Amino acid sequence: MARRAHDYDEDDVRVRPGRRGSRPRTRRRPAHDDASPGFVTAVDRGRYRCLADPGTDRERAVTAMRARELGRKGVVVGDRVALVGDVSGDQDTLARIVRVEPRTSALRRTADDTDPFERIIVANADRLVIVTALAHPEPRPRMIDRQLVAAYDAGMDPLLCLTKADLADPGPLIAEYAPLGVPYVVTRRGGDLGELREHLSGRTSVLVGHSGVGKSTLVNALVPDAERAVSHVNAVTGRGRHTSSSAIALELPGGNGWIIDTPGVRSFGLAHVDPEHVLNAFEDLAEGAAERCPPHCDHVQEDCGLDGWVEDGHASQARLDSLRRLLLALGGTLSPGDDAVEPGPRTGRSPRHGPA
């Protein structure tokens, strides 16, 4: 009797191989238990410069690529990673980053205050050094405020580094931030950097600031073989030229800590920061908010208790203006990324524009 097309025996069953071969696929990924620990010191066009086995007598520089299994997970300077493949560090060899260890901190910023996409600048730093020139270019207090907010949001200790004290008196700016209790150092051309070194000792510190404030000059003085390019300030615009195109981690002499130099920025978006946390960067106003503000006060409303707090001399009007300017920017009231806007009346009208 002829067998019909749909009749079959068990022995006739065949498994069709997949288009990529007959080996069964699995979602299980290798554990890479034998991976070498690494520390990312620079990122350049899809290649990662790392130190393998950092802090040991086997420490060596390794070039690596990101493994496909990481997916979209980013790798940034300061990350602690796991390396496999050729981790010898020999010329023309390439290792793979297969794992990014949990971060203790992440310094983030967005392109402006409405951009939903945040960018991690560096990971695992514990100190944010806000580098500000006292002249050429002029200091921008609102930029400082934004970077303070980012530091507190990331759980990092801020440090104000005021450069070019040979050109201008640091006293007014120091007084402006004295109520916040933020530590500071003052430097001048050719001056001693001993105090700054003490603040950086034993820590991983990241330097931020806009172009021309002297970050690269400081780095070259702190790490003599760094050879970071130094920019000059435009005499017409008062702005510096970007000379550092990417972040780089450099070890301080004697292995006494790390500093991470970053490219100069002209804006520091905070779209990723919850507005409720902004007050944490203004300790001189936080006490007043707790004592005098009505429930659910957004600190820009008409009955905000901080106005009376300032009138009684507990904080300066400039600090309150800075706080409100940040809150309005985070709420989308001000122009995106505009750091040259004076706080206007709290009546819903557009703030007036003025000098930074």
Side-chain angles (χ1 to χ4, degrees):
M1 177 178 176
R3 189 169 60 176
R4 288 174 296 181
H6 62 271
D7 289 337
Y8 60 88
D9 296 327
E10 258 186 53
D11 293 340
D12 291 331
V13 176
R14 297 290 185 271
V15 177
R16 176 182 294 176
R19 287 183 298 175
R20 297 185 179 181
S22 59
R23 187 174 63 180
R25 291 180 293 178
T26 176
R27 293 180 179 274
R28 297 180 62 183
R29 300 296 185 187
H32 297 299
D33 293 331
D34 58 344
S36 299
F39 172 66
V40 180
T41 60
V43 180
D44 182 20
R45 292 172 291 185
R47 292 294 182 263
Y48 302 86
R49 195 64 173 165
C50 308
L51 282 183
D53 296 313
T56 71
D57 56 2
R58 295 179 289 111
E59 180 180 282
R60 60 208 178 276
V62 171
T63 300
M65 61 178 292
R66 188 177 62 180
R68 182 181 299 177
E69 62 202 71
L70 287 181
R72 296 185 178 182
K73 186 176 183 63
V75 181
V76 299
V77 171
D79 267 328
R80 304 284 176 176
V81 298
L83 299 167
V84 300
D86 193 331
V87 295
S88 65
D90 294 339
Q91 187 175 359
D92 298 327
T93 59
L94 190 64
R96 285 186 299 127
I97 297 175
V98 294
R99 186 170 61 248
V100 178
E101 306 298 349
R103 293 164 175 158
T104 59
S105 70
L107 179 64
R108 313 166 192 265
R109 77 177 182 96
T110 55
D112 56 51
D113 292 322
T114 61
D115 187 351
F117 300 103
E118 65 184 46
R119 176 191 174 194
I120 299 179
I121 304 173
V122 296
N124 300 319
D126 54 12
R127 163 139 278 168
L128 182 66
V129 183
I130 302 172
V131 184
T132 300
L134 294 164
H136 303 300
E138 297 299 315
R140 295 169 60 187
R142 292 194 185 94
M143 176 70 86
I144 298 174
D145 293 342
R146 288 173 166 273
Q147 292 165 347
L148 284 172
V149 170
Y152 290 125
D153 181 68
M156 300 168 62
D157 296 329
L159 172 70
L160 283 180
C161 180
L162 308 180
T163 63
K164 306 185 183 181
D166 49 314
L167 302 180
D169 179 13
L173 198 58
I174 292 173
E176 185 68 22
Y177 286 92
L180 291 178
V182 178
Y184 67 89
V185 294
V186 178
T187 69
R188 62 187 66 243
R189 183 184 298 273
D192 179 50
L193 297 180
E195 185 178 3
L196 177 58
R197 287 191 177 92
E198 289 182 10
H199 283 283
L200 305 179
S201 177
R203 311 191 69 155
T204 299
S205 306
V206 53
L207 277 60
V208 297
H210 53 285
S211 301
V213 297
K215 295 193 312 297
S216 295
T217 299
L218 288 175
V219 170
N220 288 336
L222 293 167
V223 186
D225 58 350
E227 298 181 353
R228 296 293 273 174
V230 178
S231 70
H232 299 282
V233 177
N234 188 298
V236 176
T237 65
R239 291 179 173 179
R241 180 172 57 88
H242 293 276
T243 52
S244 301
S245 59
S246 60
I248 184 170
L250 299 163
E251 191 171 20
L252 292 170
N256 198 26
W258 287 84
I259 56 172
I260 302 175
D261 188 19
T262 62
V265 295
R266 289 177 180 164
S267 65
F268 209 98
L270 298 172
H272 61 286
V273 178
D274 187 334
E276 294 183 0
H277 298 161
V278 174
L279 192 60
N280 293 337
F282 295 81
E283 294 181 5
D284 52 334
L285 297 170
E287 183 180 354
E291 289 187 10
R292 301 193 182 184
C293 288
H296 309 296
C297 179
D298 61 9
H299 309 303
V300 296
Q301 62 197 50
E302 290 295 337
D303 61 343
C304 176
L306 289 177
D307 292 294
W309 182 258
V310 168
E311 290 173 3
D312 291 344
H314 297 293
S316 73
Q317 185 64 45
R319 307 305 306 136
L320 182 55
D321 288 345
S322 291
L323 170 65
R324 283 177 172 155
R325 191 238 172 270
L326 284 178
L327 292 172
L328 290 171
L330 289 174
T333 305
L334 302 185
S335 301
D338 185 0
D339 280 319
V341 179
E342 294 290 346
R346 289 170 286 117
T347 58
R349 291 178 291 175
S350 298
R352 62 183 176 88
H353 289 255

